[in-house]
Amino acid sequence: MKSMSNIFKGEAFFTFGETTKSVINPDPCNRAWVEVDSKAIENNSLVLKNFVGEHCSLMAVVKADGYGHGAETVARAALLGGADSLGVATLEEGIELRKNNFDCQILILGNLINSEELYSAFYWDLIPTISGIREAIICNNIAENNNKKYVIHLKVDTGMTRLGCNCDEVKELVSKIDYLENISLKGIYSHLAIADLDHGKKIGHSYTNIQFNKFQKALNNLGARKEFLCKHLANSAGTLSDSRLHFDMVRVGLSLYGYYPANDFESNLNLKPALKVKARVTLIRNVKKGIGVGYGHLFKTQRKSKLAVVAIGYADGVNRALSGKISALIDGALVPQVGAIAMDQMVFDITEKPDIKIGQVVTLLGNDGEMSISPHMWSDLSGSIPWEVLCGFRNRLPRVVT
Ligand SMILES: *Cc1c(COP(=O)(O)O)cnc(C)c1O
């Protein structure tokens, strides 16, 4: 008679007592993971660099861990593709890149407020964004104590109403900053508030146009001084919308990762999505009609059903608001997710695809064969934006670079 252990022998890939590498460090693709195509990012960087032309430099925005793709991976691929500099949101993100030996210019897009932070940025040769004289003076003191110059970029608010000085203060502020001997003001910039909503139209009468005019006017007030500054205004939407927004540099995030700022954004650029989110089927269930599935029984089977339990949940970054709204790709076919998305698991109705097996790979975002699911689809369903979808994937999901 067969013993119990013999029944499962065919399934075991190692015998007990023997320790293989995959036991000590399990395969990152066992449960759920994010696949990052670094070649796609390199391609997008090259495409964007060619698009803006040789007189405009390309800053790859790699904040929030490279929009969830892994900052180091993205920075490396973007620079290979032709990006000239990197943009981060925080001091720590900048330091992390320096520790990984990135030696290009790195601009911190957030506001550093105290002398400790600003000294740290100075030490690591990171460029801070300055919105007023208060921080400029702190920077000057730090640089003076070290007998060096502190390179900064000045931010102007043209209508985002977030960071930046008022437009009408620019001229006076620049002369005050220039008076500080240990400050080297190298750049001036602003940020667009609704360029993604202008849907890639020529900027014409849009709010983006108002911002463009304000920026232009503030620059003109500087006279010849502006020629010595790196002037920049455009994010992805601005970059793709109108070349008048390019100035000396563009700061591109979303499009570097392969996405357009809006679903119906018109562009012939050959951008490639770099990210896929995948997970495995961990159990197949056959259930009767009328059975409640998952927390709150948000879904009840309408027929005798076959269900697949998949090992990914909201703790991995799949927003619970997507419960019962998304589909995923298994074997190149769409299958609907049913019931509430739980912290670590969710369920798919595979009644129409009964051949699906335990261990099979489920593609939640990205393509599988001809079909593809974009972060726009998720954000439209959850009332979010693709930016948030991308940077929502948690560290629990290993990043696998392909
Ligand atoms: C995040 C950010 C960007 C990049 O925006 P995308 O829309 O992702 O291209 C550019 N500039 C600033 C100041 C930012 O904070």
Side-chain angles (χ1 to χ4, degrees):
M1 219 180 93
K2 269 190 177 176
S3 77
M4 276 302 268
S5 63
N6 271 341
I7 293 176
F8 296 109
K9 214 161 189 179
E11 300 262 325
F13 61 91
F14 70 97
T15 50
F16 293 102
E18 178 190 315
T19 342
T20 64
K21 260 192 185 163
S22 63
V23 173
I24 298 163
N25 293 308
D27 187 337
C29 306
N30 273 340
R31 185 187 84 96
W33 65 99
V34 168
E35 235 169 68
V36 179
D37 181 352
S38 61
K39 281 279 170 211
I41 290 169
E42 191 182 327
N43 164 79
N44 299 338
S45 176
L46 181 67
V47 163
L48 289 159
K49 180 74 190 173
N50 288 337
F51 178 68
V52 296
E54 57 183 323
H55 299 298
C56 179
S57 77
L58 174 64
M59 171 178 282
V61 178
V62 301
K63 62 193 181 191
D65 202 22
Y67 290 38
H69 297 59
E72 223 194 303
T73 306
V74 173
R76 193 154 285 127
L79 293 169
L80 268 177
D84 303 280
S85 60
L86 300 170
V88 296
T90 71
L91 173 63
E92 287 72 16
E93 289 172 345
I95 293 174
E96 195 56 31
L97 290 169
R98 284 284 182 251
K99 286 184 175 169
N100 283 306
N101 300 316
F102 287 95
D103 57 7
C104 63
Q105 280 195 5
I106 301 177
L107 177 65
I108 300 176
L109 301 165
N111 214 21
L112 306 182
I113 56 173
N114 62 44
S115 49
E116 193 183 304
E117 289 174 294
L118 285 163
Y119 186 46
S120 219
F122 175 76
Y123 175 84
W124 288 100
D125 196 19
L126 304 166
I127 304 174
T129 292
I130 300 297
S131 294
I133 195 68
R134 177 185 169 277
E135 289 79 17
I137 290 172
I138 298 176
C139 290
N140 190 56
N141 290 341
I142 291 166
E144 199 177 321
N145 286 334
N146 288 276
N147 285 316
K148 274 197 188 159
K149 293 246 180 187
Y150 199 149
V151 174
I152 66 169
H153 280 205
L154 177 66
K155 189 156 189 188
V156 186
D157 178 24
T158 55
M160 177 74 172
T161 322
R162 209 172 58 179
L163 293 182
C165 66
N166 291 330
C167 278
D168 53 9
E169 289 169 353
V170 171
K171 190 166 185 231
E172 198 187 335
L173 193 52
V174 169
S175 29
K176 279 185 184 162
I177 290 173
D178 282 343
Y179 191 73
L180 299 169
E181 281 187 359
N182 291 77
I183 295 286
S184 173
L185 176 63
K186 285 277 175 68
I188 184 165
Y189 78 102
S190 191
H191 194 36
L192 298 172
I194 59 169
D196 52 324
L197 304 179
D198 291 342
H199 281 352
K201 291 174 211 142
K202 289 288 167 194
I203 60 178
H205 302 287
S206 63
Y207 189 73
T208 301
N209 197 39
I210 295 175
Q211 288 197 267
F212 167 76
N213 286 333
K214 281 189 171 178
F215 189 54
Q216 192 72 278
K217 193 173 162 206
L219 292 174
N220 287 340
N221 280 340
L222 295 177
R225 178 68 178 92
K226 71 172 183 293
E227 306 308 332
F228 301 94
L229 296 171
C230 171
K231 302 168 281 294
H232 48 113
L233 175 65
N235 52 5
S236 294
T239 303
L240 301 186
S241 298
D242 195 310
S243 61
R244 286 196 299 150
L245 302 171
H246 293 178
F247 291 91
D248 300 320
M249 178 169 86
V250 293
R251 307 181 306 268
V252 179
L254 193 71
S255 294
L256 179 67
Y257 303 96
Y259 308 100
Y260 296 97
N263 255 334
D264 50 354
F265 214 91
E266 293 200 16
S267 166
N268 338 323
L269 290 185
N270 184 21
L271 298 177
K272 295 187 177 137
L275 176 137
K276 289 181 190 180
V277 177
K278 296 184 173 181
R280 285 192 197 272
V281 174
T282 56
L283 195 62
I284 306 278
R285 303 290 308 279
N286 290 298
V287 299
K288 287 188 251 174
K289 181 180 171 178
I291 299 294
V293 177
Y295 288 118
H297 283 181
L298 290 189
F299 173 79
K300 282 207 169 68
T301 53
Q302 301 297 307
R303 56 183 174 181
K304 192 173 161 231
S305 302
K306 194 162 197 176
L307 304 175
V309 182
V310 174
I312 188 167
Y314 62 75
D316 299 296
V318 185
N319 193 334
R320 192 173 176 279
L322 295 169
S323 295
K325 296 180 178 169
I326 52 171
S327 293
L329 293 161
I330 309 183
D331 234 353
L334 277 175
V335 290
Q337 189 272 325
V338 294
I341 292 172
M343 193 182 281
D344 323 297
Q345 312 184 55
M346 61 180 77
V347 174
F348 286 82
D349 184 343
I350 57 164
T351 316
E352 311 282 344
K353 294 279 294 169
D355 296 336
I356 289 167
K357 302 263 177 322
I358 286 186
Q360 234 173 309
V361 174
V362 181
T363 303
L364 289 106
L365 272 191
N367 76 299
D368 175 7
E370 294 290 291
M371 279 207 270
S372 162
I373 300 168
S374 77
H376 285 281
M377 292 181 184
W378 281 18
S379 59
D380 286 349
L381 292 167
S382 63
S384 179
I385 50 172
W387 291 262
E388 190 183 37
V389 170
L390 291 172
C391 67
F393 297 111
R394 310 290 161 75
N395 286 339
R396 190 166 83 176
L397 293 180
R399 270 35 175 200
V400 177
V401 181
T402 61

